[in-house]
Amino acid sequence: QVQVVESGGGLVQAGGSLRLSCAASGRTYDYYAVGWFRQAQGKAREFVAAGNWGGGRTYYADSVKGRFTISRDSAKNTAYLQMNNLKPEDTALYYCAVAQWGVPVQASEYAYWGQGTQVTVSS
């Protein structure tokens, strides 16, 4: 089992920045990739970004490309999502998830999920 806990959400003005953290514990050798998803109120969960734990492969949704960056600190078993130039449409509950193989963009491919952290961007 892998436990996943997100943090770092909050309220920010448009154009501002936030950094989300995703701390993983437990059988961390079980997982290979970290993904970030978000769900705005009344909308379906959508892919935001993903990267493999060993580094080198990253994927981003078109809507966040150039503004968001996924990274990780292997020593801390923690992944990050740096979000710059935030827009009101980025407002959502952000989830971190870990996958056991590949670097998937489909939520169904992720085995372990956190509870989410709220990001609210005011205009």
Side-chain angles (χ1 to χ4, degrees):
Q1 283 286 347
V2 176
Q3 293 76 46
V4 179
V5 178
E6 308 97 332
S7 61
L11 174 64
V12 64
Q13 288 187 330
S17 299
L18 282 174
R19 188 178 77 160
L20 305 184
S21 298
C22 173
S25 60
R27 295 176 56 181
T28 54
Y29 54 83
D30 279 351
Y31 65 88
Y32 182 72
V34 174
W36 288 95
F37 293 80
R38 66 187 182 187
Q39 187 167 16
Q41 193 169 6
K43 296 187 178 181
R45 189 173 300 188
E46 65 175 0
F47 170 77
V48 175
N52 62 322
W53 202 250
R57 294 170 62 192
T58 56
Y59 301 97
Y60 297 94
D62 288 342
S63 59
V64 306
K65 203 169 292 183
R67 300 188 298 123
F68 290 13
T69 303
I70 190 170
S71 63
R72 85 283 183 264
D73 184 333
S74 298
K76 296 181 179 180
N77 284 334
T78 300
Y80 304 96
L81 184 67
Q82 178 66 44
M83 306 186 296
N84 297 327
N85 191 23
L86 283 161
K87 304 175 181 180
E89 51 264 42
D90 293 319
T91 295
L93 187 62
Y94 282 70
Y95 296 92
C96 176
V98 296
Q100 292 174 290
W101 47 76
V103 189
V105 299
Q106 297 292 332
S108 59
E109 299 295 320
Y110 286 84
Y112 307 105
W113 290 81
Q115 294 300 305
T117 184
Q118 179 68 37
V119 172
T120 302
V121 184
S122 63
S123 58

